Structures are given as C-alpha cells and as structure tokens.
Amino acid sequence: MPPLKYHIVSRIPYARGLGSSSAAIVAGIIAGLVLAGHRLPVWGSESLLQIAASIEGHPDNVAPVIYGGFQIGIHNGTRWLTERVPTPP
C-alpha cells in the first residue's frame, strides 16, 4: 500500500477532557479497517469498543464516540460493557 497523507479537522477541543483523543482513536481504527478490507461484527461482541478501550485503557470516552450520549462502562473480567444513561432533555 502506498503511503497516505491526510488532513483532519476536528471541532473537539483538545486537552479539555471532551474526548478528542478517543474520537481520533475510533476514527483511526475504522479507517484502518476499511483500508485493510476488514469487517467487524456489529452486534454482540462490541469489537470496536473492545479495540478502542484497549488502546485508550478504558471506555469512558470511546463509548460515547461510538454509541453517542452519556455512557457508563464496566469490565466484567473478560470484556468492556457499556450502557447509555438516560439524561433529562
């Protein structure tokens, strides 16, 4: 594969705890999978979450990037699980 050059514009401020690094991690994983021609299962194993959380060390910011909303995460000894927490309108 030839070298790639890309330019990214992110409107997420960095160094503010808003998940800019997590957004970059998830985007990089997806881009790499697409370029390599790989697919991940969507339902059941949450493969993208597991990969991203292993890079970030926890799902605190990668889960909202992937699923949106306010997420809470727990590790069950085998894998990360997350659930969206309802917030008032």
Side-chain angles (χ1 to χ4, degrees), residues 17-34:
L18 297 175
S20 61
S21 64
S22 295
I25 287 169
V26 172
I29 293 167
I30 292 171
L33 290 167
V34 168

Side-chain angles (χ1 to χ4, degrees), residues 4-89:
L4 300 174
K5 181 179 178 180
Y6 55 92
H7 177 79
I8 297 173
V9 175
S10 174
R11 303 215 189 289
I12 304 170
Y14 60 91
R16 302 276 193 314
L18 297 175
S20 61
S21 64
S22 295
I25 287 169
V26 172
I29 293 167
I30 292 171
L33 290 167
V34 168
L35 290 170
H38 291 289
R39 293 178 180 224
L40 289 177
V42 177
W43 301 107
S45 65
E46 298 88 17
S47 298
L48 181 58
L49 174 68
Q50 305 310 314
I51 295 167
S54 71
I55 294 169
E56 185 75 359
H58 53 78
D60 297 2
N61 289 334
V62 294
V65 169
I66 297 168
Y67 303 119
F70 182 73
Q71 299 279 328
I72 189 163
I74 188 169
H75 197 273
N76 69 2
T78 309
R79 65 189 184 113
W80 286 104
L81 305 169
T82 64
E83 184 73 31
R84 178 179 254 178
V85 176
T87 55

